[in-house]
Amino acid sequence: MSYHNLIRQEGKKYGWGLILIRRKEFNEFINVLLKRFGKVKILDVGAWKCALYTYLKENFKNVDYVGIDVIDNQDRIKEAEFYVMSPTYLLFPSCSFHGVVLLETLEHIIDYVQALREFYRVLVNGGGLFIQSVICYDKCAILDETHVHVLHPVTLARLLKHLGFKDIRIFEGSTFCVYGFKP
């Protein structure tokens, strides 16, 4: 079975929608961006149904949303700006976004280091990257056949630092989040 077909099958099976478990940390992240820029444009990587669009509209003002995924989900929110696109070769110009968000997505990206480089490229200076994922030793990290990597917040933070991100924050747990900013 192809990877894209597996994602479709798993998405239908589990009804993937908004899997924002670290809401407090996510809200803090968005508020930092709003304080810095006043109005922000967020890229949702692995948007699937574009459910983050609704969450952002309900909880924040001055936030524009763009979602991408490797396949188009017919159940997605149609009013959300959405593109079918590989996260490893983004078709956006450099410095296009104030924030890039990955909710339970990075573990699905085969060349995730290249993707992280692309996220850095499309961020404006002072913009931020927010990643939420399942920790490497949780059974869900291994059992989901669409996961091609297992992640740990400390090593992910080290990688982000190596790629140029600063002010990196780590929030540990079975579902963890890490965020940092482009200087």
Side-chain angles (χ1 to χ4, degrees):
M1 177 181 305
S2 78
Y3 183 71
H4 291 137
N5 286 337
L6 183 60
I7 288 175
R8 280 190 186 96
Q9 180 183 17
E10 292 285 309
K12 288 178 185 174
K13 180 178 175 184
Y14 296 112
W16 291 339
L18 180 61
I19 309 172
L20 179 53
I21 294 168
R22 303 305 292 243
R23 288 177 193 242
K24 177 180 178 260
E25 295 85 356
F26 178 77
N27 292 349
E28 289 171 2
F29 171 77
I30 295 296
N31 282 323
V32 166
L33 295 177
L34 286 168
K35 186 175 180 182
R36 285 183 184 177
F37 299 106
K39 182 173 177 138
V40 296
K41 188 173 184 180
I42 301 295
L43 176 63
D44 179 13
V45 179
W48 190 248
K49 293 183 179 182
C50 297
L52 185 60
Y53 169 84
T54 302
Y55 181 83
L56 289 169
K57 293 296 177 200
E58 290 174 352
N59 292 281
F60 299 96
K61 292 181 174 140
N62 298 321
V63 176
D64 291 332
Y65 172 94
V66 176
I68 66 164
D69 212 319
V70 293
I71 55 176
D72 192 358
N73 180 350
Q74 298 306 310
D75 294 334
R76 72 178 162 76
I77 297 169
K78 300 300 185 208
E79 53 271 10
E81 186 176 344
F82 174 84
Y83 302 95
V84 173
M85 190 179 305
S86 169
T88 55
Y89 299 101
L90 297 174
L91 301 176
F92 303 110
S94 297
C95 303
S96 294
F97 297 94
H98 300 95
V100 176
V101 175
L102 291 94
L103 302 177
E104 307 295 327
T105 302
L106 191 61
E107 63 273 17
H108 300 270
I109 301 172
I110 293 169
D111 190 353
Y112 73 101
V113 176
Q114 172 60 28
L116 291 169
R117 286 185 180 110
E118 279 292 279
F119 305 148
Y120 188 89
R121 180 185 67 77
V122 300
L123 282 171
V124 300
N125 293 341
L129 172 69
F130 183 96
I131 300 167
Q132 175 191 283
S133 185
V134 61
I135 200 158
C136 58
Y137 51 77
D138 188 290
K139 70 178 182 176
C140 293
I142 303 298
L143 295 178
D144 185 334
E145 292 183 36
T146 64
H147 289 188
V148 293
H149 300 286
V150 293
L151 303 167
H152 190 279
V154 173
T155 56
L156 181 56
R158 287 179 192 152
L159 176 59
L160 294 179
K161 183 178 178 184
H162 174 75
L163 294 173
F165 288 92
K166 304 289 185 202
D167 302 321
I168 299 166
R169 303 218 32 218
I170 300 171
F171 301 91
E172 296 192 48
S174 59
T175 297
F176 70 88
C177 68
V178 174
Y179 66 78
F181 299 91
K182 180 177 178 179

